[in-house]
C-alpha cells in the first residue's frame, strides 16, 4: 500500500515488517522518530517486541548484543555522537557474529554542534565489521531495512542502514509499504544455529590465543568476500517478489560516458537530474551510485568504471589528513587495473551544506576542464579562510561553470 | 585477640544446607585461595542449571578458561567491561520474547566493572528494574590487570596505583546504598566465608522478579598480599570487625542485618593483609571510628525497617 512516509518512519515500518523482537535505543536527533514510532507500535500491540529504554547508545548496542546472543532479532537506531559512543560494541557485535540491524541517520560530528547530514560518522565505523548500505530514497530505506535482516542472518554479520539527516530522515515521500504476509514470505523467522541455550551450554567470546584469533578474523573476512553475492541474490529475490531491485551499485547513463560522477545517498538524486539535463544537451556524462560501502563492491565498480576516461567522486565526508573516503576507497579498487580512469575527488556538503545542481555542475565542469587531478581534494563552495590557491581554484571552477 | 583469629581460621564445623551438584569444572584458572572462584561455585549451586551468565571483563574472564574451554556448565557470554547490566537486559528481553521466563540471567562482574566503568549501565538497568540477578564479586581493586585501585578500594590500602606515600585517602564507594536508592526489590551483601547465607540470598533472589543485586565480599590473596589459606579467615574477620556487614535491603527500604558481628577491632582484619601495612595506630583509631559510625547508621536503618537479627553465628 502506498503511504506518504518520512524516512525515519520508513525505517520503523521496515523494522516492524521484519518482526524485530527486541529494540533497544536511546534518543538522538535526527534519529529519534524511528524509535518513537517503534515504541508506539509496541504500545499499540502492532509489533510484538520488547522495547528496552536504555540510558545510552552504548547500552543500546550492548542490549542488542545480549538479545541477539539469546536468539532474538534485534534492532536499534542512532546517529553521529551516538554511533561514535557505540564504537567498541560495533566490533563486539561483528566479532560475536551477531546479525543485528541498525539504522544510522548520517549527521555531522561535533564540535561545533551540528544536527545536519554528513557521512563521516558512519564511515568512521567502516573497520568495525558491519555491512553498510547508503540509501537514496525512503522507499530504498524501507526495502533495505527488510533486506538487511535476511542478508545479515545469512552471513552472521551485522548491518547498518544509512540515511541522510533531514534530506531523508524528515522528508516525506510516497513509499510502497508491503503487506506483512508478503514480507513473511520473503524473510523467514531468525533461527540461529548457535545461541545462548541452557540445554546446550557454551562459552561465547572467551579469551583466545594467537593460534586461533587469526582464523576468527579470516572467517569474518571470508564472509565479507561472499557478501556481495548474497546481497545481490537477496536483492533479486526481493525484486522478484516486490518489483524493486537493488544491487551493490546503480549505474545511470554510463555506457558511452567519458565522465562518470560517483555519488552516494541523496546527492545521487540531484546528480541524476543534472546528468539527465546534460545528456539531453548531448554530453557524454553518466552517474554511478555506490549503495553498498561494506563490503566495498570492487568487482562491480571495476566493471562499471574501467575504460571510462574520467571519474569525479563527491564525498560528503572527510578523513582528515587523507581525503574523501569514497574517493580513496574507489581509487584503491581501480589502482593497477587496465583502463583505470583518472579520478578527481570533491568534498562537498559537509555539515549539511546543500549540494545543489549548481554544485554538481561545477564539479562536472571542473573535471571536464582538467586533464589531470593535481590535488587530492577539491573543495567546492568554500566561503572563507581559503588559501590563495583555493581562491584561485574556486574562481576557476566558478568561471568554468559560468561558461 | 589471637583466640578470635584462631576461631575465624578454623570456623565452627556444622552442616550447611548446600546443594551437592556442582556447575563448575575443576581446572579453572583462578589463583590459589581466590574468593571469586569459590563464589561462582556457590552461586551456581544456588541457581542451578537453568542459568545464563553474562560476564564482562574481570578476573573471571580468565578464570572461565580460554577458547574452546569453559569452567562452567551453563551458557556464558563474555562481554565488554562496562556492559554486564546492559547485555543482561538484552538477553533477558530475548528470553522473555522466546518464552524462556524460567531461565535466570546472572550478570557476574568485578568491582571495577560495577563500581566504576559499568555503573552507568547498571544504574540504567536498575532504574528500569530489569529482571536479572547481578552479582558483584568485590576484591577491592582491578586485580586482573595487576592490582590498581578502583572506587571500591578501601581507605589506606596499597595498590600499584596507590603506592606507599600515595595511599588511597578516600573511603570505599557504598555501592549497596547506590543500588538501594534505585528502589529495586532486592539488594544484599554476602561473603564467601558465609556460603549458607550467600546461597540462601541467591535462592531468595531467584524467586523475586526485577533487578536483584548481591555484593559479594571476595578476598584476593595476590592483591591483598595475604596468605592464600587465609581467604575464609579474612572474609570472616571482615564481617566480625563490621568492615563488611552482611545484610539485605528489600524494596530499597527494609533493612535486615543477617549476621551479628562479634565487634572485633579492625586491626584484627588489617594485620593479616600486606596491603594495609602502611597504616599506623592513628589510622586504626580513625578508621575504627568510621566503621563504628557506619555500623550505628546501619543498625538505625535496620531498626526502622525491620528490627531483628535473623540469627547469631560465628
Amino acid at each position: 500500500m502506498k503511504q506518504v512516509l518520512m524516512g525515519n518512519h520508513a525505517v520503523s515500518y521496515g523494522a516492524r515488517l521484519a518482526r524485530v523482537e527486541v529494540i533497544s535505543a536511546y534518543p538522538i536527533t535526527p534519529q529519534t522518530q524511528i524509535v518513537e514510532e517503534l515504541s508506539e507500535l509496541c504500545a499499540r500491540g502492532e509489533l510484538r517486541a520488547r522495547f528496552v529504554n536504555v540510558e545510552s547508545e552504548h547500552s543500546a548496542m550492548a542490549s542488542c548484543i545480549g538479545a541477539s546472543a539469546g536468539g532474538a532479532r534485534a534492532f536499534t537506531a542512532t546517529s553521529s555522537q551516538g554511533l561514535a559512543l557505540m564504537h567498541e560494541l560495533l566490533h563486539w557485535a561483528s566479532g560475536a557474529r551477531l546479525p543485528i540491524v541498525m539504522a544510522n541517520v548520517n549527521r555531522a560530528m561535533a564540535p561545533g554542534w551540528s544536527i545536519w547530514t554528513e557521512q563521516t560518522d558512519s564511515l568512521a565505523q567502516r573497520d568495525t565489521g558491519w555491512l553498510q548500505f547508503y540509501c537514496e530514497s525512503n522507499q530504498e530505506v524501507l526495502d533495505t531495512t527488510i533486506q538487511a535482516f535476511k542478508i545479515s542472518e545469512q552471513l552472521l554479520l551485522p548491518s547498518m542502514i544509512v540515511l541522510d539527516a533531514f534530506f531523508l530522515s524528515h522528508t516525506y515521500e510516497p513509499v510502497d509499504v508491503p503487506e506483512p504476509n508478503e514480507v513473511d514470505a520473503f524473510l523467514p523467522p531468525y533461527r540461529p544455529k548457535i545461541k545462548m541455550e541452557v540445554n546446550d551450554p557454551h562459552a561465547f567470546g572467551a579469551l583466545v590465543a594467537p593460534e586461533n584469533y587469526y582464523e576468527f578474523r579470516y572467517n569474518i573476512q571470508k564472509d565479507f568476500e561472499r557478501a556481495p553475492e548474497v546481497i545481490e541474490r537477496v536483492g533479486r529475490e526481493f525484486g522478484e517478489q516486490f518489483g524493486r531491485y537493488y544491487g551493490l551499485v546503480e549505474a545511470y547513463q554510463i555506457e558511452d560516458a567519458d565522465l562518470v560522477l560517483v555519488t552516494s545517498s541523496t546527492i545521487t538524486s540531484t546528480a541524476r537530474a543534472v546528468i539527465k539535463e546534460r545528456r539531453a544537451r548531448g554530453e557524454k556524462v553518466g552517474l554511478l551510485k555506490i549503495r553498498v560501502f561494506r563490503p566495498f563492491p570492487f568487482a562491480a565498480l571495476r566493471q562499471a568504471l574501467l575504460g571510462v576516461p574520467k571519474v569525479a567522486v563527491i564525498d560528503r565526508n572527510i578523513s582528515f589528513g587523507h581525503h574523501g573516503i569514497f574517493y580513496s576507497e574507489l581509487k584503491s579498487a581501480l589502482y593497477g587495473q587496465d583502463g583505470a580512469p583518472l579520478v578527481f575527488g570533491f568534498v562537498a556538503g559537509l555539515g549539511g551544506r546543500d549540494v545543489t545542481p549548481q554544485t554538481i555542475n561545477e564539479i562536472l565542469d571542473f573535471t571536464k576542464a582538467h586533464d589531470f587531478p593535481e590535488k587530492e581534494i577539491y573543495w567546492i563552495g568554500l566561503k572563507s579562510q581559503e588559501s590563495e590557491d583555493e581562491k584561485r581554484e574556486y574562481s576557476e571552477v566558478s568561471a568554468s561553470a559560468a561558461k | 585477640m589471637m583466640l578470635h583469629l584462631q576461631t575465624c581460621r578454623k570456623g565452627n564445623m556444622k552442616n550447611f544446607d548446600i546443594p551437592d551438584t556442582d556447575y563448575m569444572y575443576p581446572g579453572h584458572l583462578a589463583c590459589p585461595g581466590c574468593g571469586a572462584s569459590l563464589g561462582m561455585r556457590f552461586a551456581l549451586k544456588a541457581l542451578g542449571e537453568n542459568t545464563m551468565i553474562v560476564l564482562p571483563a574481570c578476573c573471571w574472564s580468565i578464570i572461565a578458561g580460554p577458547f574452546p574451554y569453559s569452567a562452567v556448565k551453563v551458557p556464558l557470554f563474555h562481554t565488554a567491561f562496562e556492559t554486564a547490566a546492559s547485555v543482561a537486559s538484552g538477553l533477558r528481553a530475548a528470553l522473555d520474547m522466546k518464552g524462556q521466563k524460567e531461565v535466570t540471567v546472572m550478570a557476574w562482574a568485578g568491582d571495577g566493572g560495577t563500581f566504576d566503568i559499568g555503573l552507568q549501565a547498571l544504574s540504567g538497568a536498575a532504574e528500569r528494574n530489569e529482571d536479572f540477578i547481578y552479582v558483584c564479586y568485590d576484591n577491592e581493586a582491578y586485580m586482573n590487570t595487576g592490582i590498581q585501585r578502583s572506587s571500591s578500594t578501601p581507605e589506606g590500602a596499597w595498590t600499584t596505583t596507590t603506592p606507599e606515600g600515595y595511599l588511597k585517602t578516600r573511603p570505599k564507594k557504598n555501592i549497596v546504598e547506590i543500588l538501594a536508592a534505585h528502589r529495586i526489590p532486592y539488594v544484599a551483601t554476602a561473603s564467601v566465608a558465609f556460603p549458607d547465607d550467600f546461597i540462601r540470598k541467591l535462592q531468595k533472589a531467584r524467586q523475586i522478579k526485577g533487578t536483584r543485586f548481591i555484593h559479594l565480599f571476595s578476598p584476593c590473596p595476590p592483591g591483598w598480599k595475604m596468605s592464600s589459606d587465609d581467604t575464609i579467615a579474612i572474609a570472616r574477620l571482615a564481617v566480625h570487625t563490621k568492615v563488611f556487614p552482611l545484610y539485605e535491603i528489600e524494596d530499597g527500604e527494609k533493612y535486615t542485618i543477617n549476621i551479628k558481628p562479634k565487634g572485633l577491632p579492625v586491626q584484627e582484619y588489617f594485620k593479616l593483609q600486606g596491603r594495609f601495612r602502611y597504616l599506623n595506630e592513628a589510622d586504626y583509631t580513625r578508621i575504627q571510628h568510621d566503621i563504628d559510625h557506619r555500623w550505628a547508621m546501619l543498625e538505625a536503618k535496620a531498626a526502622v525497617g525491620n528490627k531483628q537479627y535473623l540469627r547469631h553465628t560465628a
Side-chain angles (χ1 to χ4, degrees), chain A residues 353 358-359 362 366 370 375 378-384 386-402:
Chain A
R353 176 87 56 93
Q358 188 193 337
T359 320
E362 285 176 19
F366 184 89
H370 286 75
K375 296 176 69 169
Y378 291 102
W379 294 79
I380 298 300
L382 271 184
K383 281 187 198 159
S384 59
E386 68 266 50
S387 67
E388 286 307 308
D389 268 2
E390 273 154 347
K391 271 182 187 161
R392 209 162 36 243
E393 208 85 64
Y394 179 49
S395 56
E396 196 181 334
V397 170
S398 306
S400 59

Side-chain angles (χ1 to χ4, degrees), chain A residues 50 58 88 202 204 207, chain B residues 67 76 78 82 86 96 98:
Chain A
R50 272 284 303 276
H58 196 279
E88 176 195 25
H202 294 277
F204 296 86
L207 177 75
Chain B
F67 170 84
L76 185 159
H78 289 267
E82 63 283 43
S86 40
D96 288 350
K98 300 290 182 190

Side-chain angles (χ1 to χ4, degrees), chain A residues 121-142:
Chain A
D121 61 348
S122 54
L123 290 171
Q125 307 301 340
R126 64 185 154 167
D127 302 333
T128 57
W130 283 62
L131 294 104
Q132 289 196 355
F133 301 86
Y134 287 78
C135 296
E136 184 192 343
S137 69
N138 292 352
Q139 184 71 62
E140 189 178 344
V141 166
L142 182 136

Side-chain angles (χ1 to χ4, degrees), chain B residues 5 12 19 33 48 79 82 88 92-93 107 110 116 121 133 178 208 245 254 257 298:
Chain B
L5 177 57
N12 292 343
T79 187
E82 63 283 43
R92 175 80 269 159
D116 291 345
I133 296 176
I178 291 171
I208 299 170
K254 186 183 164 193
I257 297 170
L298 179 62

